[in-house]
Amino acid sequence: RELPIVAKIARGSLFNKLVILLPAALLLSYFLPVLITPLLMAGGAFLCFEGAEKLYEKLVPHEAADDGPVGDPAEQERTMVSGAIRTDLILSAEIMAIALGTVEQEPILQKALALIVVALGITVLVYGAVALIVKADDLGVRLARTRHGAVQAIGRGLVQGMPGFLALLGWVGLAAMLWVGGHIVIDGLNQFGVPLPHDVLHHVKDAAEAAAGGLVAWVAEAGTSGLFGLALGAIIVAALHLLPKKAGAAH
């Protein structure tokens, strides 16, 4: 059942990239290039919000909402698919805008071809990997049922290891949201004359590189961007969720 859901999300993602994002990116780059950076920053702030909200849900115990009887499975599936496509749309817009910046001086046809390649490439890579992960359990069960001892051990390892692997992927994805979103917002602020976060980021990177080399410098830069993204996301989460609840409780 999971594989058809992945296929639905992949189709929706590809439709968004080719029918919505590609024309919008080309029109903006041609007529209103000044809007690209603010839109990137808005997308980056959304990623920070998503990451901070997911972290809040993981770390802060809270009672599940009482929704009464279990809803229609088909409706639950539609909700999950639409939510995944919405988040994918934001991530894809960020990636395509960054790709557009690398071919900014090229003719419009070359820009379009580059964005088509990026759209197809990231869709195949991301959802191909998701499909493989989804089917890993089935593969593990089949291997575990064979008569060969070593193959059985591999199959059991796949089945037993997948929950931990998926949990790890969840944390990695959350960290990536905060890192990418924070970095995009920092770069945008710098372009709009607010250089302090950008200067702090590069000071941390340069200090780490001088002390321990390039890899540590990259980790320090990513970590600093992630912390900025977490702080920004926490502010947005508080503004949208926590403060309204407190205000309602006070009344």
Side-chain angles (χ1 to χ4, degrees):
R1 179 173 175 79
E2 293 87 352
L3 207 54
I5 294 175
V6 173
K8 283 184 182 180
I9 297 172
R11 286 196 298 269
S13 170
L14 190 58
F15 176 87
N16 284 340
K17 291 182 182 74
L18 296 181
V19 179
I20 299 175
L21 294 179
L22 176 61
L26 293 175
L27 288 172
L28 279 175
S29 70
Y30 192 80
F31 292 107
L32 291 168
V34 69
L35 291 181
I36 291 177
T37 296
L39 290 174
L40 273 172
M41 292 177 68
F46 177 81
L47 292 179
C48 294
F49 162 71
E50 283 275 290
E53 186 175 50
K54 289 181 186 299
L55 184 62
Y56 174 75
E57 291 172 353
K58 285 178 180 290
L59 298 182
V60 179
H62 56 284
E63 295 181 1
D66 184 10
D67 297 326
V70 177
D72 179 19
E75 182 60 31
Q76 292 177 352
E77 179 179 315
R78 282 193 292 270
T79 300
M80 181 178 67
V81 169
S82 63
I85 291 175
R86 182 177 64 251
T87 301
D88 177 273
L89 178 65
I90 301 297
L91 285 166
S92 298
E94 302 294 289
I95 293 170
M96 292 183 73
I98 292 168
L100 185 63
T102 66
V103 292
E104 188 176 357
Q105 305 303 321
E106 301 297 331
I108 192 73
L109 180 59
Q110 291 188 21
K111 287 182 181 179
L113 290 175
L115 292 183
I116 289 172
V117 170
V118 169
L120 292 173
I122 59 178
T123 301
V124 170
L125 287 174
V126 170
Y127 291 101
V130 171
L132 288 175
I133 291 170
V134 165
K135 297 302 290 183
D137 269 342
D138 294 340
L139 175 61
V141 170
R142 289 182 182 181
L143 294 178
R145 289 175 177 170
T146 63
R147 296 182 178 180
H148 195 286
V151 176
Q152 285 181 346
I154 293 173
R156 288 193 296 269
L158 276 174
V159 173
Q160 295 170 2
M162 283 308 297
F165 178 69
L166 291 175
L168 176 62
L169 278 184
W171 284 105
V172 170
L174 189 154
M177 279 187 182
L178 296 172
W179 162 41
V180 174
H183 195 84
I184 289 171
V185 174
I186 288 172
D187 281 348
L189 287 173
N190 187 53
Q191 291 183 42
F192 282 107
V194 184
L196 180 60
H198 185 269
D199 292 344
V200 170
L201 179 67
H202 280 271
H203 176 74
V204 170
K205 178 185 175 183
D206 292 343
E209 187 169 14
L215 178 61
V216 174
W218 181 87
V219 172
E221 182 182 23
T224 304
S225 296
L227 288 174
F228 178 88
L230 177 59
L232 175 60
I235 292 171
I236 300 172
V237 168
L240 294 181
H241 294 313
L242 304 183
L243 295 181
K245 286 181 181 179
K246 289 182 178 179
H251 292 291

mmCIF file of all heavy atoms in Angstrom, residues 70-109:
data_model
loop_
_atom_site.group_PDB
_atom_site.id
_atom_site.type_symbol
_atom_site.label_atom_id
_atom_site.label_comp_id
_atom_site.label_asym_id
_atom_site.label_seq_id
_atom_site.Cartn_x
_atom_site.Cartn_y
_atom_site.Cartn_z
ATOM 1 N N VAL A 70 -12.247 7.051 14.368
ATOM 2 C CA VAL A 70 -11.187 7.083 13.357
ATOM 3 C C VAL A 70 -11.783 7.487 12.022
ATOM 4 O O VAL A 70 -12.839 6.996 11.614
ATOM 5 C CB VAL A 70 -10.524 5.690 13.244
ATOM 6 C CG1 VAL A 70 -9.480 5.708 12.147
ATOM 7 C CG2 VAL A 70 -9.909 5.310 14.576
ATOM 8 N N GLY A 71 -11.116 8.400 11.322
ATOM 9 C CA GLY A 71 -11.627 8.909 10.064
ATOM 10 C C GLY A 71 -11.500 7.908 8.925
ATOM 11 O O GLY A 71 -10.957 6.819 9.074
ATOM 12 N N ASP A 72 -12.029 8.329 7.786
ATOM 13 C CA ASP A 72 -11.984 7.516 6.583
ATOM 14 C C ASP A 72 -10.536 7.332 6.156
ATOM 15 O O ASP A 72 -9.811 8.319 5.994
ATOM 16 C CB ASP A 72 -12.792 8.232 5.497
ATOM 17 C CG ASP A 72 -12.777 7.475 4.180
ATOM 18 O OD1 ASP A 72 -12.465 6.263 4.207
ATOM 19 O OD2 ASP A 72 -13.069 8.093 3.151
ATOM 20 N N PRO A 73 -10.063 6.092 5.953
ATOM 21 C CA PRO A 73 -8.677 5.870 5.527
ATOM 22 C C PRO A 73 -8.323 6.606 4.237
ATOM 23 O O PRO A 73 -7.211 7.114 4.093
ATOM 24 C CB PRO A 73 -8.602 4.350 5.352
ATOM 25 C CG PRO A 73 -9.665 3.814 6.244
ATOM 26 C CD PRO A 73 -10.759 4.822 6.217
ATOM 27 N N ALA A 74 -9.283 6.656 3.305
ATOM 28 C CA ALA A 74 -9.019 7.363 2.048
ATOM 29 C C ALA A 74 -8.790 8.845 2.299
ATOM 30 O O ALA A 74 -7.907 9.473 1.690
ATOM 31 C CB ALA A 74 -10.180 7.159 1.078
ATOM 32 N N GLU A 75 -9.568 9.429 3.235
ATOM 33 C CA GLU A 75 -9.391 10.844 3.558
ATOM 34 C C GLU A 75 -8.061 11.076 4.263
ATOM 35 O O GLU A 75 -7.367 12.084 4.003
ATOM 36 C CB GLU A 75 -10.548 11.313 4.447
ATOM 37 C CG GLU A 75 -10.498 12.794 4.822
ATOM 38 C CD GLU A 75 -10.542 13.707 3.606
ATOM 39 O OE1 GLU A 75 -11.170 13.335 2.593
ATOM 40 O OE2 GLU A 75 -9.934 14.794 3.680
ATOM 41 N N GLN A 76 -7.683 10.154 5.161
ATOM 42 C CA GLN A 76 -6.387 10.263 5.823
ATOM 43 C C GLN A 76 -5.251 10.198 4.808
ATOM 44 O O GLN A 76 -4.268 10.934 4.916
ATOM 45 C CB GLN A 76 -6.247 9.146 6.861
ATOM 46 C CG GLN A 76 -7.180 9.294 8.048
ATOM 47 C CD GLN A 76 -7.067 8.124 9.016
ATOM 48 O OE1 GLN A 76 -6.395 7.134 8.737
ATOM 49 N NE2 GLN A 76 -7.728 8.228 10.155
ATOM 50 N N GLU A 77 -5.404 9.315 3.825
ATOM 51 C CA GLU A 77 -4.370 9.196 2.785
ATOM 52 C C GLU A 77 -4.275 10.488 1.985
ATOM 53 O O GLU A 77 -3.180 10.975 1.707
ATOM 54 C CB GLU A 77 -4.694 8.025 1.865
ATOM 55 C CG GLU A 77 -3.678 7.844 0.745
ATOM 56 C CD GLU A 77 -4.008 6.660 -0.142
ATOM 57 O OE1 GLU A 77 -4.346 5.586 0.398
ATOM 58 O OE2 GLU A 77 -3.928 6.804 -1.379
ATOM 59 N N ARG A 78 -5.434 11.058 1.614
ATOM 60 C CA ARG A 78 -5.413 12.313 0.854
ATOM 61 C C ARG A 78 -4.744 13.421 1.656
ATOM 62 O O ARG A 78 -3.983 14.223 1.105
ATOM 63 C CB ARG A 78 -6.840 12.717 0.477
ATOM 64 C CG ARG A 78 -7.424 11.950 -0.682
ATOM 65 C CD ARG A 78 -8.697 12.600 -1.207
ATOM 66 N NE ARG A 78 -9.780 12.509 -0.237
ATOM 67 C CZ ARG A 78 -10.639 11.496 -0.175
ATOM 68 N NH1 ARG A 78 -10.535 10.489 -1.019
ATOM 69 N NH2 ARG A 78 -11.596 11.485 0.737
ATOM 70 N N THR A 79 -5.030 13.472 2.961
ATOM 71 C CA THR A 79 -4.417 14.506 3.806
ATOM 72 C C THR A 79 -2.898 14.334 3.866
ATOM 73 O O THR A 79 -2.141 15.309 3.750
ATOM 74 C CB THR A 79 -5.007 14.430 5.227
ATOM 75 O OG1 THR A 79 -6.414 14.633 5.158
ATOM 76 C CG2 THR A 79 -4.389 15.486 6.125
ATOM 77 N N MET A 80 -2.442 13.086 4.033
ATOM 78 C CA MET A 80 -1.011 12.828 4.104
ATOM 79 C C MET A 80 -0.325 13.180 2.782
ATOM 80 O O MET A 80 0.733 13.823 2.764
ATOM 81 C CB MET A 80 -0.755 11.358 4.431
ATOM 82 C CG MET A 80 0.708 10.998 4.554
ATOM 83 S SD MET A 80 0.968 9.265 4.991
ATOM 84 C CE MET A 80 0.378 8.471 3.502
ATOM 85 N N VAL A 81 -0.948 12.778 1.663
ATOM 86 C CA VAL A 81 -0.359 13.045 0.350
ATOM 87 C C VAL A 81 -0.294 14.546 0.085
ATOM 88 O O VAL A 81 0.730 15.070 -0.354
ATOM 89 C CB VAL A 81 -1.162 12.322 -0.757
ATOM 90 C CG1 VAL A 81 -0.716 12.802 -2.140
ATOM 91 C CG2 VAL A 81 -0.977 10.814 -0.651
ATOM 92 N N SER A 82 -1.387 15.263 0.392
ATOM 93 C CA SER A 82 -1.397 16.704 0.132
ATOM 94 C C SER A 82 -0.374 17.433 0.999
ATOM 95 O O SER A 82 0.286 18.367 0.543
ATOM 96 C CB SER A 82 -2.800 17.272 0.376
ATOM 97 O OG SER A 82 -3.175 17.122 1.730
ATOM 98 N N GLY A 83 -0.227 16.996 2.267
ATOM 99 C CA GLY A 83 0.781 17.613 3.138
ATOM 100 C C GLY A 83 2.190 17.376 2.639
ATOM 101 O O GLY A 83 3.033 18.292 2.635
ATOM 102 N N ALA A 84 2.467 16.142 2.189
ATOM 103 C CA ALA A 84 3.797 15.826 1.666
ATOM 104 C C ALA A 84 4.085 16.623 0.407
ATOM 105 O O ALA A 84 5.199 17.134 0.212
ATOM 106 C CB ALA A 84 3.896 14.328 1.380
ATOM 107 N N ILE A 85 3.083 16.759 -0.471
ATOM 108 C CA ILE A 85 3.279 17.510 -1.712
ATOM 109 C C ILE A 85 3.506 18.983 -1.415
ATOM 110 O O ILE A 85 4.334 19.645 -2.056
ATOM 111 C CB ILE A 85 2.071 17.313 -2.656
ATOM 112 C CG1 ILE A 85 2.055 15.866 -3.180
ATOM 113 C CG2 ILE A 85 2.133 18.283 -3.831
ATOM 114 C CD1 ILE A 85 0.839 15.533 -4.008
ATOM 115 N N ARG A 86 2.801 19.517 -0.403
ATOM 116 C CA ARG A 86 2.974 20.928 -0.054
ATOM 117 C C ARG A 86 4.404 21.199 0.433
ATOM 118 O O ARG A 86 5.047 22.167 -0.007
ATOM 119 C CB ARG A 86 1.967 21.324 1.026
ATOM 120 C CG ARG A 86 2.035 22.802 1.412
ATOM 121 C CD ARG A 86 0.975 23.169 2.432
ATOM 122 N NE ARG A 86 1.175 22.467 3.696
ATOM 123 C CZ ARG A 86 0.398 21.501 4.140
ATOM 124 N NH1 ARG A 86 -0.635 21.085 3.418
ATOM 125 N NH2 ARG A 86 0.631 20.927 5.314
ATOM 126 N N THR A 87 4.898 20.340 1.322
ATOM 127 C CA THR A 87 6.272 20.523 1.798
ATOM 128 C C THR A 87 7.271 20.339 0.672
ATOM 129 O O THR A 87 8.244 21.095 0.545
ATOM 130 C CB THR A 87 6.572 19.518 2.930
ATOM 131 O OG1 THR A 87 5.642 19.729 3.997
ATOM 132 C CG2 THR A 87 7.985 19.698 3.460
ATOM 133 N N ASP A 88 7.012 19.343 -0.195
ATOM 134 C CA ASP A 88 7.885 19.119 -1.341
ATOM 135 C C ASP A 88 7.904 20.332 -2.257
ATOM 136 O O ASP A 88 8.939 20.678 -2.833
ATOM 137 C CB ASP A 88 7.417 17.881 -2.104
ATOM 138 C CG ASP A 88 8.243 17.615 -3.354
ATOM 139 O OD1 ASP A 88 7.913 18.167 -4.423
ATOM 140 O OD2 ASP A 88 9.230 16.865 -3.253
ATOM 141 N N LEU A 89 6.751 21.001 -2.399
ATOM 142 C CA LEU A 89 6.678 22.182 -3.260
ATOM 143 C C LEU A 89 7.621 23.270 -2.765
ATOM 144 O O LEU A 89 8.337 23.899 -3.565
ATOM 145 C CB LEU A 89 5.236 22.698 -3.293
ATOM 146 C CG LEU A 89 4.988 23.966 -4.111
ATOM 147 C CD1 LEU A 89 5.243 23.707 -5.593
ATOM 148 C CD2 LEU A 89 3.563 24.468 -3.902
ATOM 149 N N ILE A 90 7.640 23.496 -1.459
ATOM 150 C CA ILE A 90 8.531 24.518 -0.899
ATOM 151 C C ILE A 90 9.987 24.134 -1.119
ATOM 152 O O ILE A 90 10.808 24.953 -1.583
ATOM 153 C CB ILE A 90 8.250 24.715 0.603
ATOM 154 C CG1 ILE A 90 6.795 25.127 0.835
ATOM 155 C CG2 ILE A 90 9.199 25.752 1.181
ATOM 156 C CD1 ILE A 90 6.409 26.447 0.229
ATOM 157 N N LEU A 91 10.335 22.881 -0.790
ATOM 158 C CA LEU A 91 11.718 22.428 -0.971
ATOM 159 C C LEU A 91 12.133 22.514 -2.431
ATOM 160 O O LEU A 91 13.246 22.958 -2.755
ATOM 161 C CB LEU A 91 11.858 20.992 -0.471
ATOM 162 C CG LEU A 91 11.877 20.799 1.041
ATOM 163 C CD1 LEU A 91 11.682 19.331 1.381
ATOM 164 C CD2 LEU A 91 13.185 21.307 1.628
ATOM 165 N N SER A 92 11.246 22.097 -3.330
ATOM 166 C CA SER A 92 11.567 22.113 -4.760
ATOM 167 C C SER A 92 11.748 23.540 -5.259
ATOM 168 O O SER A 92 12.611 23.808 -6.093
ATOM 169 C CB SER A 92 10.463 21.409 -5.553
ATOM 170 O OG SER A 92 10.348 20.060 -5.169
ATOM 171 N N ALA A 93 10.903 24.458 -4.760
ATOM 172 C CA ALA A 93 11.045 25.861 -5.163
ATOM 173 C C ALA A 93 12.402 26.405 -4.749
ATOM 174 O O ALA A 93 13.053 27.140 -5.521
ATOM 175 C CB ALA A 93 9.920 26.686 -4.533
ATOM 176 N N GLU A 94 12.843 26.051 -3.544
ATOM 177 C CA GLU A 94 14.166 26.508 -3.092
ATOM 178 C C GLU A 94 15.267 25.952 -3.997
ATOM 179 O O GLU A 94 16.170 26.677 -4.436
ATOM 180 C CB GLU A 94 14.415 26.049 -1.651
ATOM 181 C CG GLU A 94 13.395 26.513 -0.643
ATOM 182 C CD GLU A 94 13.425 28.021 -0.447
ATOM 183 O OE1 GLU A 94 14.385 28.516 0.144
ATOM 184 O OE2 GLU A 94 12.492 28.698 -0.883
ATOM 185 N N ILE A 95 15.196 24.655 -4.289
ATOM 186 C CA ILE A 95 16.230 24.020 -5.115
ATOM 187 C C ILE A 95 16.248 24.611 -6.518
ATOM 188 O O ILE A 95 17.311 24.920 -7.071
ATOM 189 C CB ILE A 95 16.006 22.496 -5.168
ATOM 190 C CG1 ILE A 95 16.231 21.884 -3.789
ATOM 191 C CG2 ILE A 95 16.937 21.836 -6.183
ATOM 192 C CD1 ILE A 95 15.809 20.431 -3.677
ATOM 193 N N MET A 96 15.064 24.798 -7.101
ATOM 194 C CA MET A 96 15.009 25.322 -8.468
ATOM 195 C C MET A 96 15.439 26.787 -8.532
ATOM 196 O O MET A 96 16.054 27.213 -9.508
ATOM 197 C CB MET A 96 13.608 25.125 -9.034
ATOM 198 C CG MET A 96 13.259 23.655 -9.258
ATOM 199 S SD MET A 96 11.655 23.363 -10.017
ATOM 200 C CE MET A 96 11.981 23.873 -11.707
ATOM 201 N N ALA A 97 15.142 27.555 -7.489
ATOM 202 C CA ALA A 97 15.596 28.941 -7.464
ATOM 203 C C ALA A 97 17.114 29.013 -7.366
ATOM 204 O O ALA A 97 17.757 29.842 -8.021
ATOM 205 C CB ALA A 97 14.951 29.684 -6.296
ATOM 206 N N ILE A 98 17.709 28.130 -6.550
ATOM 207 C CA ILE A 98 19.167 28.076 -6.447
ATOM 208 C C ILE A 98 19.771 27.653 -7.784
ATOM 209 O O ILE A 98 20.772 28.219 -8.258
ATOM 210 C CB ILE A 98 19.589 27.120 -5.324
ATOM 211 C CG1 ILE A 98 19.180 27.700 -3.965
ATOM 212 C CG2 ILE A 98 21.091 26.876 -5.345
ATOM 213 C CD1 ILE A 98 19.292 26.725 -2.813
ATOM 214 N N ALA A 99 19.155 26.655 -8.431
ATOM 215 C CA ALA A 99 19.636 26.213 -9.747
ATOM 216 C C ALA A 99 19.513 27.336 -10.764
ATOM 217 O O ALA A 99 20.403 27.515 -11.616
ATOM 218 C CB ALA A 99 18.836 24.993 -10.206
ATOM 219 N N LEU A 100 18.428 28.101 -10.692
ATOM 220 C CA LEU A 100 18.252 29.221 -11.609
ATOM 221 C C LEU A 100 19.362 30.249 -11.456
ATOM 222 O O LEU A 100 19.822 30.839 -12.439
ATOM 223 C CB LEU A 100 16.890 29.871 -11.350
ATOM 224 C CG LEU A 100 16.458 30.999 -12.289
ATOM 225 C CD1 LEU A 100 16.309 30.484 -13.716
ATOM 226 C CD2 LEU A 100 15.151 31.607 -11.813
ATOM 227 N N GLY A 101 19.806 30.445 -10.210
ATOM 228 C CA GLY A 101 20.886 31.393 -9.988
ATOM 229 C C GLY A 101 22.194 30.997 -10.648
ATOM 230 O O GLY A 101 23.006 31.853 -11.013
ATOM 231 N N THR A 102 22.415 29.694 -10.850
ATOM 232 C CA THR A 102 23.657 29.231 -11.487
ATOM 233 C C THR A 102 23.650 29.434 -12.998
ATOM 234 O O THR A 102 24.703 29.389 -13.623
ATOM 235 C CB THR A 102 23.896 27.737 -11.183
ATOM 236 O OG1 THR A 102 22.873 26.959 -11.805
ATOM 237 C CG2 THR A 102 23.910 27.479 -9.698
ATOM 238 N N VAL A 103 22.457 29.630 -13.583
ATOM 239 C CA VAL A 103 22.372 29.853 -15.039
ATOM 240 C C VAL A 103 21.734 31.205 -15.326
ATOM 241 O O VAL A 103 21.078 31.398 -16.352
ATOM 242 C CB VAL A 103 21.583 28.714 -15.727
ATOM 243 C CG1 VAL A 103 22.347 27.414 -15.666
ATOM 244 C CG2 VAL A 103 20.189 28.539 -15.099
ATOM 245 N N GLU A 104 21.937 32.142 -14.413
ATOM 246 C CA GLU A 104 21.262 33.431 -14.488
ATOM 247 C C GLU A 104 21.571 34.187 -15.770
ATOM 248 O O GLU A 104 20.716 34.884 -16.322
ATOM 249 C CB GLU A 104 21.674 34.276 -13.270
ATOM 250 C CG GLU A 104 20.904 35.559 -13.135
ATOM 251 C CD GLU A 104 21.278 36.300 -11.855
ATOM 252 O OE1 GLU A 104 22.086 35.773 -11.075
ATOM 253 O OE2 GLU A 104 20.737 37.386 -11.657
ATOM 254 N N GLN A 105 22.796 34.047 -16.291
ATOM 255 C CA GLN A 105 23.203 34.802 -17.467
ATOM 256 C C GLN A 105 22.922 34.074 -18.784
ATOM 257 O O GLN A 105 23.212 34.613 -19.850
ATOM 258 C CB GLN A 105 24.712 35.108 -17.381
ATOM 259 C CG GLN A 105 25.148 35.824 -16.116
ATOM 260 C CD GLN A 105 24.412 37.125 -15.898
ATOM 261 O OE1 GLN A 105 24.147 37.869 -16.854
ATOM 262 N NE2 GLN A 105 24.075 37.426 -14.641
ATOM 263 N N GLU A 106 22.369 32.882 -18.706
ATOM 264 C CA GLU A 106 22.131 32.088 -19.919
ATOM 265 C C GLU A 106 20.817 32.502 -20.587
ATOM 266 O O GLU A 106 19.948 33.087 -19.958
ATOM 267 C CB GLU A 106 22.070 30.598 -19.565
ATOM 268 C CG GLU A 106 23.334 30.060 -18.915
ATOM 269 C CD GLU A 106 24.540 30.145 -19.831
ATOM 270 O OE1 GLU A 106 24.356 30.077 -21.068
ATOM 271 O OE2 GLU A 106 25.659 30.292 -19.313
ATOM 272 N N PRO A 107 20.660 32.195 -21.907
ATOM 273 C CA PRO A 107 19.386 32.469 -22.595
ATOM 274 C C PRO A 107 18.231 31.723 -21.946
ATOM 275 O O PRO A 107 18.422 30.719 -21.262
ATOM 276 C CB PRO A 107 19.644 31.958 -24.028
ATOM 277 C CG PRO A 107 21.127 31.942 -24.180
ATOM 278 C CD PRO A 107 21.681 31.656 -22.814
ATOM 279 N N ILE A 108 17.010 32.199 -22.199
ATOM 280 C CA ILE A 108 15.826 31.658 -21.541
ATOM 281 C C ILE A 108 15.623 30.178 -21.834
ATOM 282 O O ILE A 108 15.199 29.413 -20.966
ATOM 283 C CB ILE A 108 14.575 32.471 -21.963
ATOM 284 C CG1 ILE A 108 13.375 32.120 -21.071
ATOM 285 C CG2 ILE A 108 14.270 32.261 -23.420
ATOM 286 C CD1 ILE A 108 13.448 32.662 -19.697
ATOM 287 N N LEU A 109 15.955 29.740 -23.069
ATOM 288 C CA LEU A 109 15.777 28.335 -23.413
ATOM 289 C C LEU A 109 16.708 27.449 -22.591
ATOM 290 O O LEU A 109 16.297 26.392 -22.095
ATOM 291 C CB LEU A 109 16.026 28.113 -24.906
ATOM 292 C CG LEU A 109 15.879 26.661 -25.396
ATOM 293 C CD1 LEU A 109 14.481 26.136 -25.101
ATOM 294 C CD2 LEU A 109 16.201 26.558 -26.886
#
